[in-house]
Amino acid sequence: MSVWNPDNIKDVAESIGIASLSDDVLQGLSSDIEYRLSQVLEEALKFMRHSKRTTLSTQDIAQALRVLDVEPLYGYESTRPLRFGEASIGPGQPLFYVEDEEVDFEKLINAPLPKVPREISFTAHWLAVEGVQPSIPQNPATVDTRSQELVPKGPGANPNISAMSGNDNVAVKPLVKHVLSKELQLYFDKVCSALLDEADEESRVAALASLRSDPGLHQLVPYFVQFISEKVTHTLKNLFVLTQMMQLTSAMLDNKYLYIDPYVASLIPPILTCLVGRRLGFYAPSTPLAHLSLRNLAAALLSVVCKKYAKSSHTLKPRLARTCLKHFLDPTKPLGANYGGIIGLQAIGGAEVVRALILPNLKQYEVLVREPLEEEGGGDVGGGLESGKREEAEAVLTALVGALQMLEEDVVVGLTNGYTSGDGEEQRQRLSEKVGSLIAGRIVEMERPRLVKAILES
């Protein structure tokens, strides 16, 4: 038995010309109307609850009708409560209607006109200057003076945390509401000191081991990220510090208890700086390739970042590949930056990126590598520098050959299609047209027919 009165359905049917309806039809229509009304009310109640209200409004009903793909009712968008009046049209049949407000035209005409709106204009002001918010009327004032700074100031305050939060004797608005406990501040201080102590290897190893496994470092993640960025930015001439910052980044990425996703965008610039930076560390004739180990470590971190966070950010790999490709092909960059671009591309996408981005550009790039390899040392003054360039060029050539070897994995074992392990002139000529004579000679000397086949067929 439906709670909807069948007589209402009869009245509506008679108003549109249907004289008689059977009882079964009336009962079915009553049940369907009850179901449709309950469906609309359930959807409307969802809108009411999500709006943090306890009173159902006409807007909730209209939104529910839109969700159910039903044309909404028009004329019931008033924010004021509706007043219903009752009119009797017969015995036992009251009619309810909405009372309309009577408007006095004389008062409406004599009412003052609203103010003319101002013309559209705009003005510019500084929201922040180097991370510090200026005290000007346009900027919101700091109401909560108790939490003006992230950490306490004074002689006993931690200088590293103060510098990282941008509070160099300047009162700024805090980016977060929490304040670090003394234990976490002491831990941060000890870890930073241990990582920067070149003489105490045992403390460095212990600090990195703690960072890789400690589950209670969530609050320190933004501080470590800022610490890495500052040290990489201001100590580009110190290979030890740069290497420790990459080790710190690796330890944070290895810690399964830390949620690093919001800070990936802040970790990428220091990694790229250590990967494709122009000059990393002081040049020493005795160790001209000392910076390559740092670049290799940065490339390994870039590979970890791509594997872990590429799914959550679809533009991560393309942006990183574009940056590495730019540093690989830029003739104005030093060979160290070219080396970083090559191993960076290799780390980002493996054989697919090598085939699409490195292989088509090898013949044009060979000119940059050939020049330092063919130069002879010119005396005691420039001999060390020229020797360093030749060693860097040799490292770049080795990196290119290593990248091409990734293509060999896609070749089926035993199907060499006639390629032999010899160094025939025809084979060398085809390779030279593909990758340049310098790299072709190195590949032919390796006597690996699968690699030759992979390069020629790519």
Side-chain angles (χ1 to χ4, degrees):
M1 181 68 183
S2 174
V3 297
W4 190 262
N5 190 356
D7 293 337
N8 294 334
I9 302 176
K10 273 186 179 180
D11 295 339
V12 174
E14 290 175 358
S15 66
I16 60 176
I18 301 176
S20 61
L21 287 176
S22 64
D23 294 339
D24 294 338
V25 172
L26 288 175
Q27 186 63 33
L29 288 174
S30 299
S31 301
D32 187 69
I33 291 173
E34 181 182 353
Y35 169 73
R36 301 297 175 186
L37 286 176
S38 63
Q39 190 178 19
V40 172
L41 288 174
E42 287 177 1
E43 294 294 335
L45 288 173
K46 292 179 183 178
F47 283 101
M48 180 193 73
R49 295 190 190 99
H50 284 291
S51 301
K52 309 296 183 183
R53 288 185 282 103
T54 56
T55 303
L56 196 67
S57 67
T58 55
Q59 291 182 347
D60 298 330
I61 300 295
Q63 295 291 348
L65 292 174
R66 288 191 179 94
V67 168
L68 297 173
D69 200 17
V70 179
E71 185 177 2
L73 301 176
Y74 301 102
Y76 293 95
E77 292 293 334
S78 174
T79 56
R80 292 175 298 175
L82 300 178
R83 294 182 302 174
F84 292 92
E86 180 180 355
S88 179
I89 59 174
Q93 293 186 354
L95 176 66
F96 294 92
Y97 64 94
V98 179
E99 294 183 357
D100 293 329
E101 182 181 357
E102 294 184 359
V103 179
D104 189 351
F105 279 101
E106 184 176 356
K107 291 183 179 179
L108 184 63
I109 294 173
N110 296 329
L113 294 175
K115 294 182 179 180
V116 178
R118 295 182 177 181
E119 295 183 1
I120 298 176
S121 62
F122 64 91
T123 183
H125 66 90
W126 288 102
L127 287 175
V129 179
E130 295 184 357
V132 180
Q133 178 179 286
S135 298
I136 57 177
Q138 289 83 355
N139 286 337
T142 305
V143 179
D144 190 3
T145 57
R146 181 182 59 84
S147 60
Q148 278 188 348
E149 299 172 352
L150 288 176
V151 292
K153 292 287 186 179
N158 188 334
N160 291 328
I161 299 182
S162 301
M164 285 187 301
S165 60
N167 299 333
D168 191 7
N169 297 325
V170 179
V172 297
K173 297 184 69 175
L175 298 178
V176 290
K177 295 297 183 183
H178 69 275
V179 177
L180 290 178
S181 63
K182 291 183 179 180
E183 291 79 6
L184 284 177
Q185 291 185 37
L186 182 61
Y187 179 87
F188 179 85
D189 191 16
K190 292 293 184 182
V191 169
C192 293
S193 301
L195 292 177
L196 299 179
D197 188 0
E198 193 169 355
D200 192 355
E201 183 179 0
E202 184 179 355
S203 297
R204 295 199 306 270
V205 174
L208 293 174
S210 175
L211 286 169
R212 284 190 173 90
S213 58
D214 199 324
L217 305 178
H218 300 283
Q219 287 183 301
L220 288 178
V221 172
Y223 297 94
F224 279 124
V225 171
Q226 184 67 21
F227 178 68
I228 293 170
S229 300
E230 287 195 352
K231 288 300 177 182
V232 171
T233 303
H234 296 101
T235 57
L236 289 176
K237 299 298 183 182
N238 192 328
L239 277 179
F240 172 76
V241 174
L242 295 178
T243 303
Q244 293 308 307
M245 293 304 101
M246 293 299 99
Q247 294 285 0
L248 173 57
T249 305
S250 175
M252 293 174 62
L253 292 174
D254 292 342
N255 193 330
K256 62 181 180 180
Y257 301 105
L258 299 182
Y259 184 61
I260 307 293
D261 294 59
Y263 308 100
V264 172
S266 300
L267 286 174
I268 291 294
I271 297 176
L272 286 178
T273 300
C274 294
L275 178 66
V276 295
R278 293 183 64 92
R279 291 285 182 264
L280 300 176
F282 287 104
Y283 176 77
S286 58
T287 56
L289 303 182
H291 59 94
L292 296 188
S293 59
L294 173 62
R295 298 183 192 273
N296 292 331
L297 176 58
L301 290 178
L302 204 62
S303 176
V304 173
V305 170
C306 290
K307 290 178 182 178
K308 279 190 173 183
Y309 307 106
K311 292 183 179 179
S312 59
S313 177
H314 299 292
T315 61
L316 178 63
K317 278 190 176 182
R319 287 188 287 115
L320 292 176
R322 192 180 303 115
T323 301
C324 292
L325 182 64
K326 176 183 175 182
H327 286 79
F328 165 44
L329 299 178
D330 192 348
T332 63
K333 301 288 184 183
L335 290 175
N338 298 155
Y339 177 88
I342 294 168
I343 62 176
L345 289 172
Q346 185 178 352
I348 290 169
E352 181 181 357
V353 173
V354 172
R355 184 180 294 107
L357 300 180
I358 295 181
L359 186 59
N361 298 299
L362 284 182
K363 192 171 183 180
Q364 293 79 7
Y365 179 76
E366 184 189 25
V367 180
L368 301 178
V369 185
R370 182 184 294 275
E371 182 179 353
L373 286 175
E374 294 179 350
E375 289 180 354
E376 296 182 359
D380 296 335
V381 178
L385 183 59
E386 296 297 337
S387 176
K389 287 186 177 180
R390 285 196 299 273
E391 292 187 22
E392 286 186 346
E394 188 67 33
V396 170
L397 193 59
T398 304
L400 289 173
V401 175
L404 292 177
Q405 291 180 21
M406 300 188 71
L407 303 177
E408 192 176 6
E409 301 173 359
D410 298 337
V411 179
V412 180
V413 178
L415 299 180
T416 58
N417 291 340
Y419 296 106
T420 63
S421 60
D423 55 346
E425 289 299 325
E426 181 183 357
Q427 186 182 84
R428 183 186 292 269
Q429 182 64 25
R430 294 181 62 188
L431 279 175
S432 299
E433 294 175 357
K434 188 81 172 181
V435 299
S437 60
L438 191 61
I439 301 176
R442 296 293 181 93
I443 294 174
V444 171
E445 292 174 1
M446 297 171 65
E447 297 184 356
R448 295 170 67 171
R450 288 179 59 196
L451 177 59
V452 175
K453 176 180 181 293
I455 295 173
L456 292 179
E457 293 185 353
S458 296

